[in-house]
């Protein structure tokens, strides 16, 4: 049986309870909203398009982040980390995979929208599948490196979840941090900003200046609302999932 880890004595009961409650609300909200997006994609044929495949990838990643937060919430409410050191490494790895996939999926969505609005051509299935495949393989690759010795996962200060050990200042971690940040934060951010900037310029020339936000949100709940449930097509899909009779009527028409 794995050993549990007690919380640091510097944190009071009220602080730990507050953190656990906030994490629980965030986790359940993110899971609920992103699950609606995933369910809509699976249940509604009209949503099974290359562009929505990118949104599905983002929803899956953000659902994973919410699950990671749920584990942290349970640990906070238990006032201890019950999963041992191996559980800490697994928790850190899973959370980092999902975080990187969320960031890169947001950049892929930005590029997909640029492609649609600026080239006036639909995103091809093989392109969308390649993007999703690359996002997840890349995320797993970078998240696995700390398990192999480049970087390190450790407990956060509260001791209820695990992530990269940012307190480590040795050359090993610094080299990993800067390399990882370039490929997984700066590069996706550059792609996102350039894609939306070019799309804004294109739409401004055509007399349609309304464009999405420049920076893709990385919070699971906001992502679900902005990219998933904020889409008219996804809204229709959610409505059909919960109204099967209405769905049959729409198909009959």
């Amino acid at each position: 049986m794995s050993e549990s880890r007690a919380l640091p004595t510097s944190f009071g009961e009220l602080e730990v309870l507050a953190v656990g409650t906030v994490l629980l609300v965030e986790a359940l909200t993110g899971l609920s909203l992103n699950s609606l997006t995933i369910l809509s994609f699976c249940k509604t044929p009209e949503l099974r398009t290359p562009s929505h495949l990118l949104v599905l990838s983002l929803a899956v990643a953000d659902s994973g982040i919410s699950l990671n937060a749920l584990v942290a919430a349970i640990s906070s409410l238990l006032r201890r980390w019950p999963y041992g050191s191996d559980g800490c490494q697994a928790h850190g790895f899973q959370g980092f995979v999902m975080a990187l996939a969320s960031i890169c999926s947001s950049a892929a969505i930005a590029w997909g929208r640029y492609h649609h609005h600026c080239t006036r051509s639909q995103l091809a299935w093989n392109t969308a599948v390649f993007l999703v495949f690359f996002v997840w393989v890349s995320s797993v690759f970078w998240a696995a490196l700390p398990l192999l010795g480049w970087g390190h996962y450790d407990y956060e200060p509260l001791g209820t979840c695990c992530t990269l050990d940012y307190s480590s200042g040795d050359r090993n971690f610094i080299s990993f941090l800067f390399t990882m940040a370039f490929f997984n934060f700066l590069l996706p951010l550059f792609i996102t900003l350039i894609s939306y900037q070019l799309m804004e310029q294109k739409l401004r020339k055509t007399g349609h200046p309304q464009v999405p936000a420049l920076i893709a949100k990385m919070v699971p709940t906001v992502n679900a609302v902005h990219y998933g449930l904020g889409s008219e097509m996804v809204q229709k899909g959610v409505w059909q999932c919960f109204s099967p009779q209405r769905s049959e009527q729409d198909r009959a028409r």
Side-chain angles (χ1 to χ4, degrees):
M1 180 179 295
S2 59
E3 297 180 358
S4 62
R5 175 186 172 94
L7 298 182
T9 56
S10 57
F11 292 95
E13 290 288 322
L14 186 59
E15 292 175 298
V16 176
L17 179 62
V19 170
T21 302
V22 171
L23 285 174
L24 183 62
V25 172
E26 290 179 349
L28 295 179
T29 302
L31 276 174
S32 300
L33 295 179
N34 284 288
S35 294
L36 284 177
T37 301
I38 296 172
L39 182 64
S40 300
F41 183 90
C42 296
K43 292 286 188 179
T44 310
E46 294 84 354
L47 292 180
R48 297 170 195 162
T49 65
S51 297
H52 283 108
L53 181 64
L54 302 180
V55 177
L56 177 67
S57 174
L58 179 63
V60 171
D62 286 341
S63 295
I65 294 176
S66 297
L67 284 173
N68 191 272
L70 183 60
V71 173
I74 294 173
S75 300
S76 298
L77 296 177
L78 290 175
R79 295 167 178 78
R80 62 187 178 88
W81 175 260
Y83 310 110
S85 59
D86 290 341
C88 176
Q89 296 300 305
H91 186 252
F93 171 76
Q94 186 269 347
F96 200 36
V97 169
M98 297 303 167
L100 294 179
S102 177
I103 295 170
C104 294
S105 293
S106 297
I109 291 173
W111 182 86
R113 290 182 172 180
Y114 155 77
H115 181 271
H116 174 72
H117 288 283
C118 295
T119 66
R120 297 300 179 185
S121 60
Q122 294 293 332
L123 189 65
W125 269 110
N126 58 351
T127 303
V129 171
F130 171 78
L131 286 174
V132 171
F133 178 79
F134 178 81
V135 162
W136 285 96
V137 170
S138 174
S139 299
V140 171
F141 169 78
W142 285 100
L145 291 178
L147 299 177
L148 301 176
W150 197 20
H152 182 62
Y153 293 117
D154 202 355
Y155 299 97
E156 289 191 348
L158 188 60
T160 58
C161 59
C162 298
T163 184
L164 286 175
D165 183 13
Y166 293 102
S167 64
S168 176
D170 58 17
R171 183 177 300 177
N172 175 282
F173 180 76
I174 295 299
S175 62
F176 170 75
L177 181 63
F178 277 91
T179 307
M180 179 273 300
F182 174 79
F183 286 104
N184 296 283
F185 291 97
L186 295 180
L187 191 57
L189 179 61
F190 174 78
I191 293 173
T192 301
L193 291 174
I194 293 299
S195 296
Y196 282 131
Q197 185 178 14
L198 292 176
M199 188 169 66
E200 180 183 13
Q201 294 174 358
K202 179 71 174 180
L203 295 179
R204 185 180 295 155
K205 292 179 181 179
T206 60
H208 298 85
Q210 296 84 1
V211 295
L214 287 180
I215 301 179
K217 307 299 187 293
M218 292 179 286
V219 179
T221 302
V222 178
N223 274 340
V225 174
H226 182 66
Y227 290 112
L229 301 181
S231 167
E232 182 180 357
M233 285 292 292
V234 177
Q235 290 174 6
K236 292 179 180 178
V238 172
W239 176 249
Q240 289 182 14
C241 288
F242 290 99
S243 305
Q245 293 181 351
R246 178 63 180 274
S247 178
E248 293 296 331
Q249 293 176 1
D250 292 338
R251 290 193 184 97
R253 292 175 184 174

